[in-house]
Amino acid sequence: MTDGNRFWTVFVREVRGVVRTRTYLALGLVTGIVLFGLAHAGGGPAGGYVPTVVDTLVAVEVLVPTLAFAVGYRAIADPAVRGELDILDTYPLSTWSYVGGVYAGRALLLLTIVVVPLLALGVTVATTAGPETTVFASHRGVDSPFLFIRFIALTVLYALSSLTIAFLLSALAGSRGRALVLALAGLLVLTVGSDLAVFAALDTGVTSSTLGGALAMTPAGAYRGLVFDQVLYVAVPGRSAFVPTWVAALSLLFWWGLTFVGAMLATDAA
């Protein structure tokens, strides 16, 4: 059996496991209710795709890492507690095949929970957007389903990066109790702590001219900056960039790669 076959076997096992867990179905329902509730409260679906992104962006920025940590915080800690990792050492199963298969299964679950409600919201906008979209037309702005698809694509990248961070903390935990503590701490740092640290650094070298680049170094800041630059500012001509786009894109890829490799090394050491 090749590494690819072993990866696929672990992936299928993980998918079967999450399908049997009804808690994840509840997470998807709650996510959909929150997104639709916020969008309709703000009047976004009647106004168009960009107003809908404006109404839901803050919630998505918090929901995505929260769901990622809910899905991944015990992904490696649980098998370690049950001794599965010790048993796996006796099989010809590489760490890449195991961690990659588990990650791919959980990523499929996470993206289903996040993307399906967003796609449904996009369909709602397509079928209900009314004359309010002329607000953007009067300001020479644009509104397009492609902007909403771009928003979903950036959200997928943010979700995958958040999930690898959750995997790394899960692999470092070594027990279910520490996994929960590390997940809560990691979620707090990811959602608000990193941005607060950047703003605190304003007194130690970070200036207003370099603030955008500094914000792009954090996963949340990079995601927010990319959404502003590639979705919202496109509809508002003349606005300057919130963060350097290429720096923000590389930052998310860097966090994804760094924490994925870290998760494999930590699993090896567990």
Side-chain angles (χ1 to χ4, degrees), residues 27 30 47 61 66 80 93 106 128 161-162 172 177 201 222 228 269:
L27 280 178
V30 170
E61 197 176 322
T66 302
L93 179 65
R106 299 292 174 118
T128 61
S161 298
S162 300
L172 291 172
F228 269 82

Side-chain angles (χ1 to χ4, degrees), residues 139-180:
H139 288 74
R140 295 187 303 166
V142 293
D143 194 24
S144 162
F146 294 107
L147 294 178
F148 199 77
I149 292 173
R150 194 179 293 178
F151 171 60
I152 293 176
L154 293 173
T155 303
V156 166
L157 185 57
Y158 184 42
L160 294 178
S161 298
S162 300
L163 185 60
T164 56
I165 295 173
F167 262 56
L168 172 59
L169 296 178
S170 180
L172 291 172
S175 72
R176 291 169 182 166
R178 282 195 291 272
L180 179 60

Side-chain angles (χ1 to χ4, degrees), residues 44 60 64 102 115 124 127-128 165 172 194 201 214 238 258:
V60 171
V64 165
V102 174
V115 173
T124 302
T127 55
T128 61
I165 295 173
L172 291 172
S194 55
L258 178 70

